Amino acid sequence: MTGLRPGLEPRQDEIAAMMASATSFVTDFIGNLDTAPLNGLAAPGTAGPSDDVAALLAPPAEHPGEFGDLLQVFRTAAEQSADTAGPNTFAYFPGGGLFTAALAELLACTVNRFTAASSMAPGLVAMEHGVIHWFARQFGLPATAGGLITTGASTGALSALLTARRRLLGDAPYDNSGTVYVTTHTHLSVSKAARIAGLSPDQVRLVPVTDDLRMDADAATRMIEADRAAGKHPFLIVATAGTTDTGAVDPIGRLADTARAQNMWFHVDAAYGGGFQLTARGRAKLDGIDRADSIALDPHKSMFFPYSSGVLLVRDERLLHAAHSADAPYLQDMDRGTPLPDYQDLGTEMSRGYRGLRLWLPLHLHGVAAFRAALDEKLDLAESVHRALADLPELDVLTPDLTVINFRLRGGEEINRTLLETIHADRRVHLTSTRIRGEYTLRLCVLNHRTHRRHVDQVISIVRDAVRTVTAATAAAGAR
Ligand SMILES: *Cc1c(COP(=O)(O)O)cnc(C)c1O
């Protein structure tokens, strides 16, 4: 095999040949996902490239390489990883990876337009703007709403926090009196955003949860009032629409009331739950979200997109702009007065990949109904997992809000760790665990667009067998 000809611009025939190899890689990869063993799931402490490390760590050569060889290195590396694209992953929030979004990415990177300023690529910015407005309408936000496509809910939370702080506490310099209200089930990205924004840990206040693991709205009001009496400046409540631990949705409407009564910003972290707004059942669960000041959602979770597909919506786009806009003399040739947003003024990035197309193309190509149907299917499948596990007398199972099912055997941490190991023993499925009120709990999430009834039947039977094996072994050990 020969490498590319020297230089940086491949010939057209070289491009076509590489595209053909890439095409067969993609079709093979997707075609084999259903039966691929989850062999990348490493045992604890062994994660890391197992063989051929030399090829993975090799520095680039001075001379051109051969695409087929390099693709093979990539294939090997990708195989040595936890599978987040296939139908048998129920770990964390399973990824998806719509092919049509990957195709969009190829096209967007090829034209490589600058979409931080709308005057540089008004057509492309209009397409992204259309996607943002469509999302805003799904959540019932008013016409003043805007936002942008982000890398994920973490950057969304940071921008929301900066916007809330500027709106309610004014401009820098900030003292450390501003306080933010979360629960122990709030995603770590919120306290991280607070840290990046310069808040100290004690400015992030932990509101207790009710028995059903949701933020206690009455307790929030009491804490906010006590903090204000003590000289603090409560400015932000973060409700979670689908927590990472259990998928529970905080009482959004009640917390919206609290935020309004206390003159605070109301951010809804819908990283996981947001996509379900497209379904009737999801809409009912997320009731009240139309009153949010800002919403972060992750199409790379509950809409099956590849990672780095996040959306931030803000009820009044001008406030997002006020918190992020900046100018400099070298931008004087750009028309900054267009009716379309300059994304550099709405977020933390300046030069940015054109993420608009990766959302726009799949939405237009598959149609919204296809997303809704896939999400309804996930809700149905999660319901049947819940029913099947709740039928096992050995298990305590939480009732899911969306598609996360938590369960554990009675008898403490060790037996539940053994249960998870037993479920993983033959590497056919991948689940994870968390802690609820300090107790080790298993966690199964149905969220991949490739997961269908037969995959869920398989995971149910694997869990059922593992429960029998573990409880029988425990009983035998007890009898000795
Ligand atoms: C995943 C997640 C986040 C973080 O989102 P990223 O896209 O990973 O940055 C925030 N909140 C919740 C509830 C999440 O599940």
Side-chain angles (χ1 to χ4, degrees):
M1 299 243 181
T2 54
L4 284 186
R5 71 166 183 159
L8 292 179
E9 195 72 270
R11 285 192 314 257
Q12 290 192 3
D13 62 303
E14 290 175 322
I15 292 175
M18 287 189 285
M19 294 280 281
S21 306
T23 300
S24 51
F25 171 84
V26 168
T27 49
D28 285 356
F29 178 83
I30 294 175
N32 292 332
L33 273 172
D34 210 353
T35 50
L38 297 187
N39 56 4
L41 173 57
T46 65
S50 52
D51 36 64
D52 216 6
V53 187
L56 300 177
L57 295 176
E62 282 293 325
H63 54 82
E66 203 279 311
F67 183 66
D69 296 343
L70 300 172
L71 186 58
Q72 188 50 40
V73 174
F74 170 68
R75 184 197 308 266
T76 309
E79 279 167 1
Q80 294 173 15
S81 44
D83 178 10
T84 44
N88 295 309
T89 176
F90 302 92
Y92 308 104
F93 286 122
L98 293 174
F99 166 70
T100 49
L103 186 60
E105 201 66 7
L106 173 70
L107 300 172
C109 291
T110 301
V111 304
N112 196 38
R113 293 301 190 243
F114 189 80
T115 57
S118 57
S119 65
M120 297 275 290
L124 298 179
V125 168
M127 288 162 72
E128 179 163 344
H129 196 55
V131 169
I132 290 293
H133 270 246
W134 174 76
F135 272 115
R137 276 198 305 281
Q138 296 308 308
F139 287 96
L141 295 179
T144 53
L148 77 170
I149 300 176
T150 63
T151 56
S154 298
T155 45
L158 176 60
S159 281
L161 188 145
L162 296 173
T163 307
R165 181 170 67 178
R166 189 174 190 286
R167 169 72 168 164
L168 289 151
L169 304 183
D171 259 325
Y174 304 103
D175 60 17
N176 58 359
S177 66
T179 44
V180 175
Y181 297 79
V182 302
T183 75
T184 162
H185 293 290
T186 302
H187 192 266
L188 62 86
S189 55
V190 175
S191 50
K192 195 177 187 178
R195 194 159 18 116
I196 295 169
L199 275 67
S200 60
D202 63 349
Q203 289 173 266
V204 179
R205 315 282 286 148
L206 268 191
V207 180
V209 293
T210 46
D211 288 343
D212 54 5
L213 307 172
R214 301 168 212 275
M215 185 182 280
D216 183 334
D218 295 327
T221 300
R222 287 194 298 273
M223 278 182 85
I224 289 162
E225 287 176 350
D227 284 348
R228 188 171 285 123
K232 306 216 173 287
H233 292 105
F235 71 96
L236 171 63
I237 298 177
V238 178
T240 307
T243 64
T244 317
D245 289 319
T246 71
V249 178
D250 283 333
I252 298 177
R254 294 208 48 209
L255 293 168
D257 290 340
T258 306
R260 186 158 307 171
Q262 300 290 337
N263 190 30
M264 293 169 70
W265 188 274
F266 185 47
H267 177 68
V268 179
D269 177 357
Y272 158 59
F276 290 97
Q277 180 74 2
L278 296 180
T279 69
R281 280 174 283 180
R283 233 167 237 272
K285 294 281 183 194
L286 272 51
D287 189 36
I289 200 165
D290 57 312
R291 297 169 59 202
D293 292 302
S294 52
I295 301 170
L297 66 144
D298 273 344
H300 64 224
K301 287 177 179 160
S302 47
M303 287 178 72
F304 324 116
F305 282 80
Y307 292 126
S308 265
S309 305
V311 169
L312 175 66
L313 302 172
V314 175
R315 178 173 212 87
D316 182 347
E317 191 182 84
R318 288 170 308 178
L319 302 178
L320 188 62
H321 186 278
H324 292 84
S325 65
D327 219 335
Y330 47 76
L331 299 179
Q332 65 190 5
D333 300 326
M334 284 179 184
D335 176 4
R336 307 261 272 150
T338 76
L340 287 164
D342 289 342
Y343 290 126
Q344 69 187 48
D345 291 330
L346 299 185
T348 55
E349 293 172 292
M350 186 158 181
S351 308
R352 64 201 288 272
Y354 178 50
R355 281 185 290 271
L357 195 67
R358 66 153 71 184
L359 292 192
W360 184 92
L361 185 67
L363 283 167
H364 285 268
L365 200 53
H366 301 296
V368 176
F371 287 89
R372 184 176 302 111
L375 288 164
D376 269 320
E377 181 194 17
K378 299 318 131 194
L379 288 165
D380 291 341
L381 294 175
E383 237 175 76
S384 46
V385 172
H386 173 249
R387 237 180 293 118
L389 299 192
D391 270 352
L392 300 179
E394 300 90 341
L395 291 181
D396 285 333
V397 186
L398 290 184
T399 305
D401 261 358
L402 295 165
T403 65
V404 177
I405 295 108
N406 300 90
F407 60 98
R408 63 177 162 237
L409 284 167
R410 274 161 235 120
E413 176 155 346
E414 198 184 317
I415 191 171
N416 281 294
R417 282 186 180 276
T418 308
L419 177 61
L420 186 57
E421 278 163 27
T422 309
I423 290 168
H424 285 164
D426 62 6
R427 300 287 190 255
R428 281 186 293 163
V429 295
H430 186 190
L431 277 62
T432 47
S433 67
T434 187
R435 287 181 187 278
I436 298 174
R437 298 191 190 284
E439 283 203 67
Y440 184 99
T441 305
L442 281 74
R443 183 185 173 290
L444 183 163
C445 180
V446 185
L447 202 60
N448 188 295
H449 62 292
R450 298 175 173 125
T451 300
H452 302 299
R453 172 67 56 187
R454 65 182 183 282
H455 307 106
V456 157
D457 287 345
Q458 170 173 267
V459 76
I460 290 170
S461 102
I462 290 172
V463 172
R464 197 183 279 139
D465 291 348
V467 166
R468 292 207 182 108
T469 307
V470 172
T471 48
T474 310
R480 274 205 299 274

